[in-house]
Amino acid sequence: MSETAAPIGLSWAPKLPSLATTSGGSKSDRAPKPSTAQGSIWKPASELVDGLFVPPMDPRKVNKLARKNVKDTTGKGWFDMPAPSITPELKKDLEILQLRHVMDPKRHFKRAGKSKALPRYFQVGTVVEPASEFYSGRLTKRERKTTLVDELLSDQSLKSYRKRKVREIQESRTPGGNQKWKNKGKQTLKRAKDRRK
């Protein structure tokens, strides 16, 4: 009974390589092994210590790992606002916001610019109305939808405006009735093209 009893709980300490073994050695020890897979998730057993990945000692490799782990933000001037991952719903909402000057004939918005690219840094929030706007500016539960696109599609006044505009565009682009079919003769097609202009 010379063995000591194991302590209660778990204890584990990684076996780190000593500096003397990594810095010294002959040239044959430093030669790369041909079976290592570069750039993959799988790490060879020579890079693992007790089954764990230990970061390299080379400062260039350490800086490269640090650059990968840094989050994409706007910086201190914009309170480190992160760049969110764009989902299909968010993409539709951003496209609708870029086309908001087309939605309502009574409101005029400044255009965001000639760039059609979606913004990289943004935040999405919910507007909370004050108690004074309970009857005037509040959306009811039935009107409130999950995305901006759903709210705009369910709005009746916007739907009627859209239908009226589509009808006006269709009427302006249709040729002058069925007159082009009544014209008989050699230059019928030419006269129909002239009427459309």
Side-chain angles (χ1 to χ4, degrees):
M1 290 274 172
S2 63
E3 293 181 19
T4 59
I8 297 175
L10 298 175
S11 64
W12 177 82
K15 296 176 187 172
L16 297 174
S18 64
L19 294 175
T21 58
T22 56
S23 61
S26 64
K27 289 185 179 180
S28 63
D29 293 338
R30 293 183 189 171
K33 296 186 173 65
S35 64
T36 59
Q38 297 292 333
S40 65
I41 297 174
W42 177 81
K43 301 285 182 192
S46 62
E47 292 183 23
L48 297 179
V49 177
D50 270 355
L52 297 174
F53 174 69
V54 177
M57 294 295 214
D58 186 15
R60 281 179 282 171
K61 290 183 181 178
V62 171
N63 287 340
K64 189 175 181 182
L65 280 173
R67 265 186 262 121
K68 280 185 182 178
N69 293 334
V70 170
K71 286 190 174 182
D72 189 18
T73 62
T74 54
K76 289 184 179 179
W78 286 87
F79 305 102
D80 293 324
M81 185 181 358
S85 58
I86 295 183
T87 61
E89 293 85 11
L90 267 179
K91 187 176 180 182
K92 286 179 186 174
D93 284 350
L94 291 173
E95 288 171 352
I96 285 288
L97 283 176
Q98 284 183 336
L99 296 171
R100 68 181 181 265
H101 61 278
V102 180
M103 291 294 157
D104 194 355
K106 307 284 184 186
R107 291 185 187 171
H108 299 284
F109 294 99
K110 182 180 178 183
R111 289 192 181 212
K114 293 184 179 180
S115 172
K116 293 184 180 180
L118 296 176
R120 189 171 177 186
Y121 304 103
F122 60 91
Q123 288 182 342
V124 180
T126 304
V127 176
V128 178
E129 300 88 3
S132 61
E133 293 184 2
F134 186 76
Y135 292 107
S136 60
R138 181 179 65 94
L139 286 175
T140 60
K141 284 185 181 178
R142 186 173 291 177
E143 293 171 345
R144 201 175 300 269
K145 305 291 180 192
T146 54
T147 61
L148 184 65
V149 178
D150 294 336
E151 282 186 19
L152 291 174
L153 288 176
S154 65
D155 189 11
Q156 292 299 323
S157 61
L158 186 63
K159 191 182 288 186
S160 62
Y161 173 72
R162 260 195 339 261
K163 282 185 180 180
R164 182 171 58 87
K165 278 297 181 186
V166 167
R167 191 169 50 248
E168 286 175 6
I169 291 170
Q170 285 176 345
E171 288 172 0
S172 68
R173 292 188 180 173
T174 52
N178 57 1
Q179 294 296 321
K180 65 179 181 181
W181 307 112
K182 291 183 180 177
N183 291 334
K184 305 270 191 253
K186 194 174 184 181
Q187 298 180 352
T188 308
L189 188 61
K190 184 180 177 186
R191 279 185 270 162
K193 281 183 182 178
D194 291 340
R195 277 197 308 276
R196 277 188 231 133
K197 289 182 183 177

